[in-house]
Amino acid sequence: ETQRDLGLAYRYFTMGTPGGVEGCLRRYKGKKNAGQAAARRKKRKKQRKQKEAEAAAEKGKDGNGDDSDNDDENSQEDDAWVDDTEEEEDIWDDQDQCDHPCVNGMGLLYLFGVPMVLPPSREVATKYFELAKDLGNMDASYNLAMMRLGWMDEVGAKESIPHYKDMTTINNAKKGMFVVSSHARDGHGLTRDDYKYALNHFNFAAARGHLQAKHRLGILFSKGVRIVDRDLAEIAGPEKMHMATEQVVHRNCPT
């Protein structure tokens, strides 16, 4: 029953994502490019009118004869010139975009995998989630944050990442300048950038009413998150451990 449900879900999600993730990306980028092309045409039109006004003012000062016929001809030529690429991009509008719940759904199917249908792929899942998030899907933003924190990752994958010695921060610490390295990891194998990424995506989802994202933010802010740079800790010693510690998520839980 579960296998049949997943197969049916895949069928429906495919209908909402014509061309797969690459096809949906082309549609999304086409819409963005079309908007930019329209802005460029509007800017050119404004600049042309400004030049025409300036030219008319100069003619008035010089007392030259009327040359409006020539101006009209130039204006028509300007209006007739349109970049072929921009014309093609204009066909991508809101109605042409892939269905963002389906895009997010395909990301989930690739994340978990569907036996005999889809092999699990975090890379492809991430592409779907990122696109769905760009399309405004709050579930996809939540999923990206959870993945960055280790959801559906191999057990112990982040904790087993080899330790990286940042010689720049180590040498600076020996000179008395303690700055926690961006490579430093907490007990879960997460870096400052991991938490920053997760917070940004949780906030995106929470701002749109995502209850689970709000719950996760509450957990993070209720306890806060600190990262201890082990290399700096060896230099600082127990009495100056605070110099090797960075509060990457500040505790914010009013009592």
Side-chain angles (χ1 to χ4, degrees):
E1 187 69 27
T2 301
Q3 176 63 27
R4 188 179 69 179
D5 291 343
L6 288 175
L8 188 61
Y10 174 71
R11 177 184 173 187
Y12 286 136
F13 290 157
T14 301
M15 292 171 62
T17 56
V21 67
E22 297 301 330
C24 292
L25 276 170
R26 284 195 298 272
R27 292 166 181 267
Y28 176 69
K29 291 178 179 178
K31 177 189 173 184
K32 289 181 64 178
N33 292 337
Q36 293 169 358
R40 288 195 296 269
R41 286 196 295 272
K42 184 177 180 181
K43 182 178 180 181
R44 285 200 300 270
K45 186 175 182 180
K46 182 178 179 181
Q47 291 173 337
R48 188 193 69 220
K49 288 184 176 180
Q50 184 177 356
K51 289 181 179 179
E52 290 174 351
E54 292 173 353
E58 286 296 326
K59 291 173 185 175
K61 291 179 181 179
D62 297 338
N64 291 337
D66 185 10
D67 196 19
S68 58
D69 292 340
N70 188 43
D71 289 342
D72 291 340
E73 183 179 344
N74 291 336
S75 297
Q76 291 174 2
E77 290 178 358
D78 286 342
D79 288 334
W81 183 86
V82 178
D83 192 309
D84 292 337
T85 303
E86 293 180 358
E87 278 293 320
E88 182 180 348
E89 290 167 347
D90 279 345
I91 67 172
W92 302 112
D93 55 24
D94 289 333
Q95 294 180 347
D96 294 314
Q97 298 305 303
C98 292
D99 181 68
H100 67 81
C102 289
V103 177
N104 179 66
M106 286 297 287
L108 288 170
L109 292 183
Y110 270 102
L111 183 62
F112 288 93
V114 180
M116 297 181 290
V117 179
L118 289 178
S121 171
R122 288 178 65 86
E123 181 181 356
V124 178
T126 300
K127 287 183 179 181
Y128 272 110
F129 289 145
E130 288 178 343
L131 174 58
K133 187 256 182 181
D134 289 340
L135 290 169
N137 190 281
M138 61 182 181
D139 290 320
S141 187
Y142 175 81
N143 293 336
L144 286 168
M146 292 298 294
M147 286 179 67
R148 191 62 174 261
L149 296 181
W151 177 50
M152 289 301 293
D153 207 347
E154 294 181 11
V155 177
K158 289 189 178 293
E159 292 91 332
S160 62
I161 295 176
H163 175 61
Y164 177 84
K165 280 187 174 291
D166 191 332
M167 297 309 301
T168 300
T169 59
I170 292 174
N171 291 332
N172 287 338
K174 290 178 179 178
K175 299 175 184 178
M177 297 179 290
F178 285 81
V179 178
V180 175
S181 170
S182 61
H183 299 282
R185 299 178 181 275
D186 67 358
H188 302 290
L190 300 171
T191 66
R192 173 202 309 152
D193 289 342
D194 290 331
Y195 283 106
K196 182 178 179 180
Y197 179 94
L199 283 174
N200 286 340
H201 283 75
F202 281 145
N203 281 322
F204 178 93
R208 287 157 178 76
H210 199 284
L211 295 180
Q212 290 172 294
K214 293 180 180 181
H215 175 67
R216 288 289 174 178
L217 286 172
I219 293 175
L220 288 171
F221 286 125
S222 66
K223 299 179 179 179
V225 177
R226 292 190 305 170
I227 291 181
V228 177
D229 189 320
R230 67 170 76 173
D231 293 321
L232 299 190
E234 293 178 0
I235 299 173
E239 296 180 356
K240 298 181 180 180
M241 187 60 67
H242 65 281
M243 300 178 69
T245 304
E246 180 180 0
Q247 192 79 29
V248 295
V249 179
H250 292 274
R251 189 173 182 272
N252 185 5
C253 186
T255 56

